[in-house]
Amino acid sequence: MDQFSAMQSFRRVVEHGSFSAAAALAGQSHTVLSRQVKNLERQLGSQLLNRTTRRLQLTEAGALFYRHCVQILDQMEAMTLELSEHQQQPSGTLRLSVSSAFGELELGHWLPGFVERFTGLQIELSCTDRFVDMLDEGIDLCLRVTDHLPDSSLVARTLAPSEVILVAAASYLKRLPTAITADNLGEHPLLGYNRLAQPQRLQLVGPSGSQREVLMPNRVSANSPMALRAAAIGGLGIASFDRFIVHDALLDGRLVQLLPDWQQPARTLYALYPQSRYLAPKVRALLDYLQDYYRDPRWLM
């Protein structure tokens, strides 16, 4: 007996509720399907279905066998598709959504290499700071740096940690009568990202593990991290950023990190994509490429 074929037949019978419906779907005869299921029962030594003139009902053994059938058949199908796709060169249009700051500061480092490797792909890029409805907008992959993912059916693959730091321009610091400390931080204006629920509030953890919440005055607020970055470089106050946003400005001295011994809640770079039994080759190619690129820390001083 072809046990794999018999398992497929049994699954069809269970999911379609009758031998007749399953036979019609598979293009087989009622007799063949019935014989396959009976042979399965004989081989397993258990009755799988209770048959009446009106309906079929799974026995306890049948329900257990059905669950294992689904797992095994799905794994076989996934393996077959994956092996087939492994031979395919990713092609078509890849629709990618990223935040505005990430798009401006990070894509130039890795996207050219990805496009050069996969010449059959066309990239359609959407830069926005809102969480997109990936299914409704036809997005294949979304990259977000966040400390909170909304409950959804999306799959989230972790790519890299993202440290959050306090910074200010040297020109701002030179105007101060005293150095900035954790104790006087609340006297200084915070350049606030107004998409946050509390844009003027910071949560800090000290070197000894002590926690502190600081409410800071508002001087400039904006809905754009890049606008706040420009304001910080211009000396308008203190700002809190993911390190990747200010990494180059720290390296060339336009900004200075403040209170390095005090930590803020870390964030994470995620790759988000719709949950599916199979991943299209183009999506898998980008996921693997990003996983490899961000395997080593990218934003260290």
Side-chain angles (χ1 to χ4, degrees):
M1 178 183 68
D2 183 348
Q3 190 167 17
F4 184 72
S5 176
M7 290 168 63
Q8 289 177 314
S9 297
F10 173 72
R11 180 179 181 177
R12 289 193 194 101
V13 169
V14 172
E15 293 179 352
H16 294 279
S18 72
F19 282 97
S20 299
L25 181 71
Q28 295 177 294
S29 71
H30 180 292
T31 303
V32 169
L33 261 64
S34 179
R35 186 184 303 119
Q36 285 181 315
V37 174
K38 285 180 180 178
N39 287 338
L40 266 179
E41 290 177 322
R42 188 178 304 112
Q43 185 180 49
L44 296 170
S46 298
Q47 185 174 346
L48 302 177
L49 294 168
N50 286 322
R51 302 161 177 81
T52 68
T53 55
R54 292 187 177 182
R55 65 189 180 114
L56 297 174
Q57 186 175 18
L58 282 169
T59 64
E60 186 176 347
L64 177 62
F65 184 68
Y66 171 73
R67 288 198 298 272
H68 286 291
C69 263
V70 170
Q71 292 176 357
I72 292 169
L73 294 173
D74 282 354
Q75 287 173 357
M76 289 292 292
E77 190 175 353
M79 179 189 69
T80 301
L81 182 67
E82 187 171 345
L83 289 173
S84 173
E85 290 175 347
H86 185 70
Q87 307 302 322
Q88 300 176 18
Q89 181 74 1
S91 61
T93 300
L94 177 62
R95 295 175 176 85
L96 174 64
S97 175
V98 299
S99 64
S100 56
F102 192 88
E104 186 166 340
L105 298 170
E106 276 294 298
L107 289 188
H109 296 303
W110 56 261
L111 187 58
F114 176 76
V115 171
E116 184 177 354
R117 179 181 299 183
F118 299 101
T119 56
L121 279 175
Q122 298 83 47
I123 308 299
E124 188 175 296
L125 186 62
S126 170
C127 294
T128 177
D129 291 324
R130 63 180 175 83
F131 270 101
V132 298
D133 186 327
M134 297 185 66
L135 294 176
D136 186 57
E137 299 179 41
I139 301 296
D140 295 307
L141 192 73
C142 182
L143 299 178
R144 285 293 182 271
V145 181
T146 182
D147 59 359
H148 172 71
L149 290 173
D151 293 333
S152 72
S153 60
L154 298 178
V155 178
R157 182 181 293 190
T158 299
L159 295 179
S162 181
E163 182 187 11
V164 181
I165 60 174
L166 287 175
V167 298
S171 60
Y172 176 80
L173 299 176
K174 287 177 182 177
R175 298 196 299 268
L176 302 180
T178 59
I180 295 175
T181 67
D183 293 325
N184 65 24
L185 184 62
E187 302 170 10
H188 297 272
L190 180 69
L191 307 177
Y193 182 54
N194 59 24
R195 287 181 177 270
L196 298 176
Q198 297 178 310
Q200 303 310 124
R201 192 179 301 274
L202 292 180
Q203 291 181 321
L204 301 174
V205 178
S208 63
S210 60
Q211 298 187 14
R212 182 173 298 190
E213 195 170 84
V214 182
L215 184 63
M216 302 172 68
N218 176 29
R219 174 176 290 170
V220 175
S221 64
N223 65 353
S224 163
M226 295 305 292
L228 292 175
R229 171 186 143 113
I233 292 172
L236 295 181
I238 295 172
S240 173
F241 286 117
D242 290 275
R243 185 180 285 276
F244 81 87
I245 294 179
V246 293
H247 181 61
D248 60 336
L250 290 169
L251 290 177
D252 63 23
R254 285 176 293 165
L255 291 174
V256 177
Q257 182 177 355
L258 306 176
L259 307 181
D261 292 335
W262 289 78
Q263 308 297 316
Q264 296 181 71
R267 287 149 56 88
T268 302
L269 170 61
Y270 293 102
L272 306 171
Y273 53 95
Q275 192 167 23
S276 174
R277 189 182 302 169
Y278 314 113
L279 273 180
K282 60 184 179 181
V283 177
R284 183 179 292 109
L286 181 54
L287 280 171
D288 292 345
Y289 190 90
L290 290 171
Q291 197 93 59
D292 184 63
Y293 180 83
Y294 286 107
R295 181 172 288 113
D296 297 323
R298 293 283 169 178
W299 307 309
L300 298 178
M301 292 296 291

